[in-house]
Amino acid sequence: MTYMDSSLLEITIKDALIPTCTQIVESVNDLAQIMKDLSVLVIDQGTIVDRIDYNIQNAAASVEAGVKQLEKAERTQKKGGMVLCIIILICLCLFMIFMLVIKYLLF
């Protein structure tokens, strides 16, 4: 093999390798862009998960406050019913006493 043949062989190898190297560089660049996009998606998903977690905690606190208010309302309602019943019974007793007094006064 002569110098010319070896130069021609080197040029042929370089010509064959340049498109392959270019393709590898493009593939690596595409992969880097995909990784950047994936990173953005992961960050966005983390933000969404954080918001969901925050909303769940707020909902749990609201439910607990609601349960306390319902228990308080139930106690108040029971007391209110008992007070109303006592007032009605007192009024009926006073009415009966009044009727007895009228009965003895008139007859």
Side-chain angles (χ1 to χ4, degrees):
M1 213 152 108
T2 64
Y3 177 73
M4 203 128 169
D5 289 339
S6 75
S7 293
L8 185 59
L9 184 61
E10 284 180 28
I11 291 173
T12 307
I13 292 174
K14 286 180 183 177
D15 288 342
L17 288 178
I18 288 174
T20 306
C21 288
T22 305
Q23 185 181 9
I24 291 172
V25 168
E26 288 175 359
S27 296
V28 168
N29 286 335
D30 289 342
L31 183 61
Q33 184 61 40
I34 290 171
M35 294 304 285
K36 286 179 186 176
D37 293 342
L38 185 61
S39 172
V40 169
L41 288 174
V42 167
I43 290 170
D44 289 343
Q45 290 296 318
T47 303
I48 290 171
V49 168
D50 289 343
R51 276 192 252 149
I52 290 170
D53 184 46
Y54 174 75
N55 288 335
I56 287 173
Q57 288 175 350
N58 282 344
S62 295
V63 167
E64 288 177 15
V67 167
K68 288 178 183 177
Q69 288 178 357
L70 283 173
E71 289 171 349
K72 182 180 175 182
E74 183 180 18
R75 286 191 306 268
T76 303
Q77 194 174 30
K78 284 181 180 179
K79 284 182 182 178
M82 289 177 13
V83 170
L84 181 64
C85 185
I86 291 170
I87 290 173
I88 290 173
L89 287 174
I90 290 172
C91 289
L92 285 173
C93 288
L94 291 174
F95 178 73
M96 296 298 259
I97 291 171
F98 177 72
M99 293 304 279
L100 283 174
V101 169
I102 290 179
K103 179 180 174 186
Y104 285 118
L105 288 177
L106 293 178
F107 299 107

